[in-house]
Amino acid sequence: MDHLQARTARTWLATAVAEARAGLAEGGIPIGAALYGADGALLGRGHNRRVQDDDPSMHAETAAFRAAGRQRSYRGATMVTTLSPCWYCSGLVRQFGISRVVIGEAATFHGGHEWLAEHGVEIVLLEDAECVALMHDFIENNPALWNEDIGE
Amino acid sequence: MDHLQARTARTWLATAVAEARAGLAEGGIPIGAALYGADGALLGRGHNRRVQDDDPSMHAETAAFRAAGRQRSYRGATMVTTLSPCWYCSGLVRQFGISRVVIGEAATFHGGHEWLAEHGVEIVLLEDAECVALMHDFIENNPALWNEDIGE
């Protein structure tokens, strides 16, 4: 797989951030994600839907994966997410052989991205200030909802 | 958590098998699951819906988890599944702190249940002949669809 250009990573992250902001505007948990194919085409995008749909299974990454529909292979694909993927979403990436994960930030929540790196997934951690601010403010104002979303 | 009685495990597995058979009758992948609460109440049940809904995110375990709706805690809960959970579904169990997994069989597919055991999840592996036969026949007749469902 070609090395991901920093500009491309930032452009892709903007899609995930737009999803996170859409979720926040709906009263939901502000985490967004997008799945890009090996050729750079957007396959699917989505955001956490726990509150909006009463659906605990729709994390941002699973929503983007679902929106992409059935795919024969995820080789070369990139999952872009505003926040370090939890074990549920890390398991998704590993099981389906998604090659790369671009992460907005891992400061407010530290998921399974190191485990993914150990298993050959390329991890691009951007430490994006906008993503940190989104989650920091949300967690501060909604601690119970956040703990529910990560099973704590 | 109390030790699970063998009869209870078999009764719960029957719910998951009924889901698997419902999925097969719909033309889908015959894997079923059910989530039981700490008090033994059925919280949700479901089956793989890749074919039926064109939805790659709905494995049997995620479908049962979704059907259970929002829960404040999964402490003491049991995920019952006809087949060893893949990394995606194993990640779900770990992230949400589901205490126990009852597995119909791990002969036709070996997922992440040993990883879960290492992280404190109680694993009950039943080696159920009916579950083995269901998956063995399905994989033999639908190898491409099965590989798609596990990202291989």
Side-chain angles (χ1 to χ4, degrees), chain A residues 10-65:
Chain A
R10 287 285 170 187
T11 302
W12 288 356
L13 182 64
T15 305
V17 170
E19 285 291 331
R21 292 207 174 279
L24 187 66
E26 293 165 3
I29 300 170
I31 307 173
L35 183 64
Y36 285 89
D39 61 356
L42 178 64
L43 299 177
R45 55 192 286 174
H47 52 265
N48 188 300
R49 305 197 63 83
R50 172 177 293 271
V51 173
Q52 297 92 318
D53 298 347
D54 266 329
D55 185 351
S57 76
M58 281 297 114
H59 274 194
E61 297 91 330
T62 49
F65 179 79

Side-chain angles (χ1 to χ4, degrees), chain B residues 127-140:
Chain B
E127 301 182 357
D128 181 82
E130 183 181 3
C131 289
V132 173
L134 255 175
M135 278 311 289
H136 179 272
D137 291 354
F138 181 79
I139 293 170
E140 192 165 85

Side-chain angles (χ1 to χ4, degrees), chain A residues 46-119:
Chain A
H47 52 265
N48 188 300
R49 305 197 63 83
R50 172 177 293 271
V51 173
Q52 297 92 318
D53 298 347
D54 266 329
D55 185 351
S57 76
M58 281 297 114
H59 274 194
E61 297 91 330
T62 49
F65 179 79
R66 182 187 213 183
R70 289 171 61 179
Q71 303 279 335
R72 188 58 200 87
S73 171
Y74 297 88
R75 185 183 302 269
T78 300
M79 178 66 81
V80 185
T81 174
T82 55
L83 183 67
S84 173
C86 78
W87 287 116
Y88 174 41
C89 299
S90 295
L92 175 84
V93 168
R94 180 171 175 188
Q95 186 63 46
F96 291 98
I98 295 169
S99 297
R100 185 197 280 133
V101 182
V102 172
I103 301 168
E105 60 107 351
T108 66
F109 175 77
H110 194 108
H113 60 273
E114 284 153 2
W115 178 72
L116 288 175
E118 286 166 19
H119 291 284

Side-chain angles (χ1 to χ4, degrees), chain A residues 50 54-56 58 65-66 69-70 72 86-88 91-92 94-96 145 147-150 152, chain B residues 50 54-57 62 65-66 69-70 72 86-88 91-92 94-96 145 148-150 152:
Chain A
R50 172 177 293 271
D54 266 329
D55 185 351
M58 281 297 114
F65 179 79
R66 182 187 213 183
R70 289 171 61 179
R72 188 58 200 87
C86 78
W87 287 116
Y88 174 41
L92 175 84
R94 180 171 175 188
Q95 186 63 46
F96 291 98
L145 180 54
N147 284 336
E148 180 189 314
D149 198 55
I150 53 172
E152 283 182 5
Chain B
R50 173 177 294 272
D54 267 330
D55 185 351
S57 76
T62 50
F65 179 78
R66 183 187 213 183
R70 289 172 61 179
R72 187 59 201 87
C86 79
W87 287 115
Y88 173 41
L92 175 84
R94 180 170 174 187
Q95 186 63 46
F96 290 98
L145 180 54
E148 181 189 313
D149 197 55
I150 53 172
E152 283 182 4

Side-chain angles (χ1 to χ4, degrees), chain B residues 116-128:
Chain B
L116 289 175
E118 287 167 18
H119 291 283
V121 178
E122 182 187 339
I123 301 295
V124 179
L125 180 52
L126 291 173
E127 301 182 357
D128 181 82

